[in-house]
Amino acid sequence: MRQFIIFFAALFMLGLIGCAESDAVVSPAPTSSITAPVMGATVVPPTATSTSTPQPTIAPTATPTPQPWAFEETFDGDPDAPSQDLLPRTFDYAVTHRTHPSSHFHIFDSFPADHGQDCAGPNPAVQPLPQHLVTTSHKSNGANPDPSFFICKNHMMSSMGHVEGYSVTSFWPRQEFDFSAGGVLEFDVNINDGRPRSWFEVMIVPRAELKVGAAHAWLPIDETYPKERIVFEFMSNKRWIQVGSGAVDPEGILVEQQEWQAWRDQFPDDPANDDRRIRRAMRIALTDNQIVWSIEQADGAFHDYVVAIPDGLPFTRGLVVFKTHAYTPEKDGNTDAYTFHWDNIRFSGPINGRYQSFETDDVVYLQANGDREIGEQETITIDLPRVEPNPTLFGQVHNPMEGQVLLSVNGRDPIPVNPYDYNPGTCSATGWKSFQLELDPDWLTVGENSFTWIIGPRPDCAEPFQWDGFSIMGLEIQLDFR
């Protein structure tokens, strides 16, 4: 019953989000001075001295007071066209579209993203505000990000329109956020509410459970939040926090809480409600027994949303995954307000869990509108400059059945590759699912490594209507940083 109520409540909220104007420039963020809190202590976020003004401005973001940040990215660069070359390669970039097997890797329709083709920002004397067309794909990674990720005017954009019913974009630093002694995460982003069925979230997840296309179980995409997760969602102009452990969403929820009032209702005169040129600083402070999510107001002060975690946080180290959701936005009249503007991503330390990814742009397509032959195979390669003690293979697999996704590494005997979880009560998974496989370093070699994917035997538990075959994308080997 609880899930049923949440489902309809969420759909109701999605349907109430209004339309937006289109634009894209920067607004200053506050100067902050933060000391990571001690685990178990009560968090009182410090009062910030702000250089921001209520109105949008093209002035650069203020330089923060020096901090012991374990990670910081300011997305510097002012190119004369939307640039992917300037995107930091300390991040990974993934795009997950909910598609039918026959259309995994076709060319999608284009959609408008903020900033003109010359990276122009808004000019109040010129209407409409400048945008350029983006054509997304499935083939996104750290070396070759999807065109929906780009840099203009010293900040980063992620944008996704209505191309396949439901799409999730994800990007994350290849470094874990260690908040075992308490921690602070900060970033700047626009908070305008005129974007029907388009919203952002930040998910903290242990690296061993990374999922790049996850959403609530009641939303129509096929991957749900992982067993261990802390989720910060800004949907319907409200802060929503979920902490879960031990089972994938909708199970395992320890705490789930949402603001009862939207930001616009609390601050009706805030120009950021309607103008996505204005980015607001977000500050999230975590201790063992509570989370404080603070948002910069128009006067530079911070407004706190405090959620108690009575039994403590279930884990204290994980990747910070920034995500945007596009759920049929055109259905509610949103035809151009798809872009989120990001800047000044940073989190406190200590420094832990840094890694590098070695990727391939190739995809495996052992799938069709019908069965493929058992035993069919396809090989792709990944070049490695070195081999480290704890290599991990990460990627996404489409429509896997238990035991049917087989992998031979450099000609060795095939082994099964399974996603983190199958559909409840079945031995199969629909749509794209993330997977991770620990590799024996003796299997790998410096230089070219071959990965041969094979359609294995059909499991007895498979339903008659399920087709043999699968697809693989976003394949990479993760090695500890050095």
Side-chain angles (χ1 to χ4, degrees):
M1 175 63 71
R2 176 179 178 279
Q3 298 171 24
F4 191 74
I5 294 172
I6 292 174
F7 173 76
F8 281 99
L11 291 183
F12 178 72
M13 287 185 294
L14 284 168
L16 287 181
I17 308 175
C19 297
E21 302 297 325
S22 59
D23 48 52
V25 294
V26 298
S27 175
T31 300
S32 58
S33 180
I34 298 172
T35 301
V38 176
M39 181 62 75
T42 300
V43 176
V44 181
T47 301
T49 302
S50 174
T51 58
S52 63
T53 62
Q55 298 302 319
T57 171
I58 59 173
T61 300
T63 302
T65 302
Q67 296 293 328
W69 298 114
F71 179 88
E72 184 171 17
E73 177 56 59
T74 57
F75 302 107
D76 295 335
D78 189 9
D80 56 9
S83 173
Q84 294 179 289
D85 292 338
L86 290 176
L87 289 168
R89 265 46 183 185
T90 52
F91 282 70
D92 262 326
Y93 306 87
V95 172
T96 304
H97 302 295
R98 190 184 188 199
T99 57
H100 187 273
S102 65
S103 58
H104 288 336
F105 308 115
H106 73 279
I107 301 299
F108 294 95
D109 293 336
S110 60
F111 56 88
D114 286 352
H115 287 286
Q117 191 57 55
D118 58 354
C119 261
N123 180 348
V126 178
Q127 297 292 334
L129 298 174
Q131 292 187 307
H132 69 284
L133 293 180
V134 166
T135 302
T136 183
S137 75
H138 274 293
K139 300 166 68 172
S140 179
N141 58 30
N144 294 289
D146 186 77
S148 58
F149 303 102
F150 58 93
I151 282 180
C152 283
K153 304 298 182 186
N154 296 293
H155 66 287
M156 174 189 163
M157 270 56 63
S158 62
S159 188
M160 184 53 61
H162 180 189
V163 296
E164 280 291 338
Y166 201 126
S167 299
V168 177
T169 71
S170 304
F171 65 98
W172 63 97
R174 296 191 189 113
Q175 178 180 324
E176 293 172 274
F177 176 24
D178 186 332
F179 46 97
S180 54
V184 175
L185 165 67
E186 286 191 350
F187 57 94
D188 301 347
V189 70
N190 48 305
I191 61 171
N192 61 291
D193 66 348
R195 49 172 69 252
R197 296 172 178 255
S198 177
W199 67 96
F200 79 82
E201 73 175 33
V202 180
M203 180 178 70
I204 304 176
V205 56
R207 181 177 154 194
E209 295 187 34
L210 173 64
K211 291 185 174 184
V212 299
H216 291 283
W218 42 262
L219 285 167
I221 199 164
D222 298 294
E223 189 163 71
T224 62
Y225 294 133
K227 293 180 181 178
E228 309 296 317
R229 73 273 187 185
I230 305 172
V231 181
F232 307 94
E233 191 168 40
F234 198 72
M235 178 195 284
S236 302
N237 206 228
K238 298 178 182 180
R239 287 168 279 194
W240 186 336
I241 296 176
Q242 184 192 110
V243 178
S245 180
V248 299
D249 184 82
E251 305 300 326
I253 296 176
L254 303 179
V255 173
E256 187 169 53
Q257 188 170 314
Q258 185 188 32
E259 283 184 296
W260 69 277
Q261 233 183 350
W263 186 266
R264 178 185 291 275
D265 296 330
Q266 297 180 73
F267 304 99
D269 297 326
D270 188 343
N273 289 321
D274 300 300
D275 193 340
R276 67 178 178 273
R277 296 174 296 178
I278 303 175
R279 297 192 297 276
R280 291 286 188 232
M282 302 278 166
R283 177 183 297 153
I284 297 172
L286 300 97
T287 61
D288 184 56
N289 59 358
Q290 74 172 12
I291 295 172
V292 181
W293 182 354
S294 307
I295 301 179
E296 177 196 12
Q297 302 172 71
D299 63 1
F302 278 79
H303 181 269
D304 301 336
Y305 179 55
V306 182
V307 174
I309 315 296
D311 296 325
L313 296 174
F315 61 95
T316 57
R317 178 171 156 179
L319 296 175
V320 181
V321 184
F322 296 84
K323 300 162 63 183
T324 67
H325 295 257
Y327 173 27
T328 57
E330 290 180 353
K331 189 172 182 180
D332 281 350
N334 182 3
T335 59
D336 61 359
Y338 307 138
T339 305
F340 290 91
H341 300 248
W342 306 91
D343 207 357
N344 300 321
I345 291 175
R346 51 198 175 216
F347 50 77
S348 58
I351 296 174
N352 271 320
R354 294 191 295 173
Y355 68 95
Q356 292 177 282
S357 293
F358 301 92
E359 306 155 322
T360 176
D361 291 332
D362 293 332
V363 297
V364 173
Y365 185 41
L366 291 170
Q367 204 164 39
N369 284 325
D371 286 326
R372 297 289 288 263
E373 294 295 325
I374 304 299
E376 280 192 71
Q377 57 185 321
E378 189 172 328
T379 299
I380 57 179
T381 61
I382 296 178
D383 286 340
L384 293 178
R386 65 181 191 277
V387 177
E388 296 288 344
N390 302 301
T392 299
L393 187 71
F394 176 81
Q396 291 178 273
V397 58
H398 192 275
N399 282 15
M401 289 190 283
E402 187 175 4
Q404 191 173 62
V405 182
L406 300 180
L407 171 64
S408 171
V409 180
N410 287 328
R412 286 171 171 79
D413 290 340
I415 55 175
V417 175
N418 297 311
Y420 290 117
D421 50 271
Y422 288 103
N423 298 328
T426 74
C427 68
S428 64
T430 53
W432 290 105
K433 301 278 183 152
S434 301
F435 68 85
Q436 209 171 108
L437 180 68
E438 294 182 3
L439 300 176
D440 186 329
D442 292 338
W443 298 352
L444 304 174
T445 185
V446 175
E448 186 176 275
N449 292 264
S450 65
F451 296 85
T452 301
W453 297 88
I454 306 163
I455 301 177
R458 183 180 181 87
D460 293 337
C461 54
E463 297 291 341
F465 61 83
Q466 292 176 302
W467 299 330
D468 291 317
F470 58 89
S471 293
I472 301 288
M473 72 173 181
L475 196 67
E476 64 182 34
I477 293 178
Q478 301 173 355
L479 299 180
D480 291 340
F481 179 84
R482 75 170 190 184

